[in-house]
């Protein structure tokens, strides 16, 4: 790929999604662009570039960003945050919100939904009394394709083999052909919605008791990461919890978040 072509796509993706495409990954970027060019019936990446640089429609822009997202995820990823939810976070919030009887969770880079469904399974399995509360798990992502799959809730054998205990598979999924389809009782707890984390958060988003923002900030520059974390701070309910990915640094985290170690996971409680 010619350097100016790489630069054009890297700048476009960074401007609109925050995702920094590193130069050493140029081969990966090229292969994804090649696939996109083929899918859109362009001759090659160069023709896609000609088109995008001359007349970039919002739809083409979104397709390019979509092609650059990494949607890797699995059920109960890292385990420990879900243990923390079960053992401390939900029990504490249950007491704190006993009057309002409302709990809102946000999977802020939900990809294909496994994180949101994992939260739903924790609630169903260990806190059935909360099912009579106003309960919502909001699952958002920049990738429409990923969200579509999450909303469908149909996973392959390989996907359910990753992280999902077999007891939960049997209890919360039904086999349909080669897919495992999530049960309605979990799905009804979750709302899927497209949301770009680098845009100002819509006022209709409301506030959250628990935010999972895992393995997405790693794709952003330090400045964008700090901006996203500030935006998240604005939608935290008092004493709400934020979870980042296990390997992610809290650099840029607003001071109102207090670091807390629960079991083997680190999370951040909003005291601001
Ligand atoms: C590696 S996945 C992480 C999924 C899940 N949180 C987990 O930990 O398993 C990263 C997700 O971030 C999404 N993403 C990337 N940039 C985004 C942005 N600006 N706004 C919202 N989502 C974004 C991607 O589409 C992708 O689905």
């Amino acid at each position: 790929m010619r350097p100016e072509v790489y630069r054009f796509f890297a700048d476009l993706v960074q401007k609109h999604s925050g995702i920094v495409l590193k130069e050493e990954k140029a081969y990966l970027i090229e292969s994804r662009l090649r696939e996109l060019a083929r899918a859109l019936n362009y001759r090659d990446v160069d023709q896609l570039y000609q088109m995008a640089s001359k007349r970039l429609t919002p739809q083409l822009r979104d397709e390019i960003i979509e092609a650059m997202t990494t949607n890797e995820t699995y059920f109960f990823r890292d385990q420990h945050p879900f243990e923390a939810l079960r053992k401390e976070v939900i029990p504490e919030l249950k007491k704190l919100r006993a009057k309002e009887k409302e709990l809102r969770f946000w999977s802020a880079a939900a990809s294909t939904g496994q994180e949101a469904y994992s939260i739903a399974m924790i609630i169903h399995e260990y806190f059935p009394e909360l099912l009579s509360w106003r309960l919502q798990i909001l699952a958002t992502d920049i990738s429409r394709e990923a969200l579509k799959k999450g909303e469908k809730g149909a996973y392959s054998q390989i996907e359910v083999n990753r992280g999902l205990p077999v007891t939960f598979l049997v209890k919360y999924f039904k086999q349909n052909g080669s897919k495992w389809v999530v049960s309605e009782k979990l799905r009804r707890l979750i709302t899927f919605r497209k949301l770009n984390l680098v845009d100002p958060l819509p006022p209709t988003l409301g506030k959250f008791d628990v935010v999972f923002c895992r393995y997405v900030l790693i794709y952003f520059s330090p400045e964008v990461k700090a901006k996203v974390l500030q935006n998240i701070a604005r939608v935290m309910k008092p004493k709400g919890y934020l979870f980042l990915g296990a390997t992610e640094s809290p650099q840029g985290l607003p001071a109102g978040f207090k670091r807390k170690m629960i079991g083997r996971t680190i999370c951040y409680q909003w005291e601001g």
Side-chain angles (χ1 to χ4, degrees):
M1 189 166 39
R2 286 181 288 124
E4 79 253 37
V5 176
Y6 162 78
R7 208 52 274 155
F8 169 81
F9 285 110
D11 288 350
L12 186 152
V13 170
Q14 183 162 3
K15 181 168 169 218
H16 294 283
S17 72
I19 299 171
V20 178
L21 299 173
K22 303 230 170 77
E23 221 156 332
E24 63 264 27
K25 293 261 174 77
Y27 69 94
L28 181 69
I29 295 157
E30 185 172 12
S31 89
R32 288 177 175 186
L33 287 172
R34 217 180 294 131
E35 227 172 273
L36 178 64
R38 201 175 309 128
L40 298 178
N41 287 324
Y42 291 118
R43 199 176 48 241
D44 51 20
V45 173
D46 227 51
Q47 201 186 23
L48 175 66
Y49 164 65
Q50 300 298 339
M51 206 51 213
S53 55
K54 275 201 205 96
R55 205 156 41 86
L56 183 69
T57 60
Q59 195 191 341
L60 182 56
R61 183 198 64 203
D62 286 356
E63 302 244 32
I64 293 166
I65 292 168
E66 176 94 49
M68 293 305 159
T69 60
T70 302
N71 306 121
E72 160 78 357
T73 186
Y74 47 92
F75 292 101
F76 296 100
R77 185 174 195 170
D78 299 342
Q79 278 186 18
H80 306 296
F82 298 95
E83 293 269 292
L85 265 192
R86 175 165 78 88
K87 292 191 175 147
E88 275 199 37
V89 171
I90 298 182
E92 180 187 335
L93 291 171
K94 203 176 101 178
K95 279 193 205 133
L96 287 172
R97 313 290 190 237
K99 258 202 195 127
E100 309 92 297
K101 291 200 184 311
E102 182 189 64
L103 277 179
R104 297 187 74 231
F105 299 79
W106 181 22
S107 171
S111 185
T112 43
Q114 285 89 329
E115 188 172 84
Y117 286 120
S118 301
I119 297 171
M121 281 184 267
I122 292 285
I123 295 169
H124 245 280
E125 192 68 22
Y126 303 105
F127 304 96
E129 68 281 12
L130 292 181
L131 295 172
S132 62
W133 286 29
R134 272 177 298 140
L135 210 58
Q136 190 196 22
I137 302 167
L138 181 67
T140 65
D141 201 282
I142 198 172
S143 163
R144 234 180 248 290
E145 286 303 310
L147 291 169
K148 236 196 265 169
K149 182 175 160 135
E151 203 156 21
K152 223 168 157 201
Y155 298 97
S156 70
Q157 187 68 51
I158 294 174
E159 286 167 324
V160 297
N161 281 350
R162 296 184 73 195
L164 187 64
V166 72
T167 46
F168 283 12
L169 177 63
V170 172
K171 197 162 171 185
Y172 295 110
F173 292 76
K174 269 217 173 80
Q175 201 163 17
N176 184 359
S178 63
K179 298 285 187 195
W180 288 91
V181 182
V182 80
S183 69
E184 195 44 43
K185 60 186 172 196
L186 292 190
R187 201 201 312 259
R188 85 166 73 98
L189 298 179
I190 305 175
T191 308
F192 288 90
R193 171 168 165 189
K194 185 175 177 200
L195 186 144
N196 184 347
L197 283 170
V198 307
D199 288 343
L201 296 178
T204 51
L205 199 63
K207 299 218 168 193
F208 296 93
D209 299 283
V210 178
V211 177
F212 273 53
C213 184
R214 302 193 310 147
Y215 301 107
V216 62
L217 299 174
I218 39 172
Y219 299 105
F220 301 159
S221 68
E223 297 73 35
V224 171
K225 178 176 167 178
K227 193 178 111 188
V228 171
L229 287 168
Q230 273 162 23
N231 287 341
I232 290 177
R234 292 197 193 98
V235 296
M236 296 302 301
K237 286 201 208 164
K239 299 276 180 193
Y241 282 89
L242 168 67
F243 288 86
L244 303 178
T247 52
E248 291 180 290
S249 90
Q251 213 186 1
L253 198 68
F257 281 108
K258 291 286 162 292
R259 183 181 185 276
K260 230 177 152 174
M261 182 102 191
I262 302 182
R264 293 174 65 183
T265 199
I266 292 165
C267 51
Y268 303 91
Q269 189 165 33
W270 182 243
E271 306 272 4

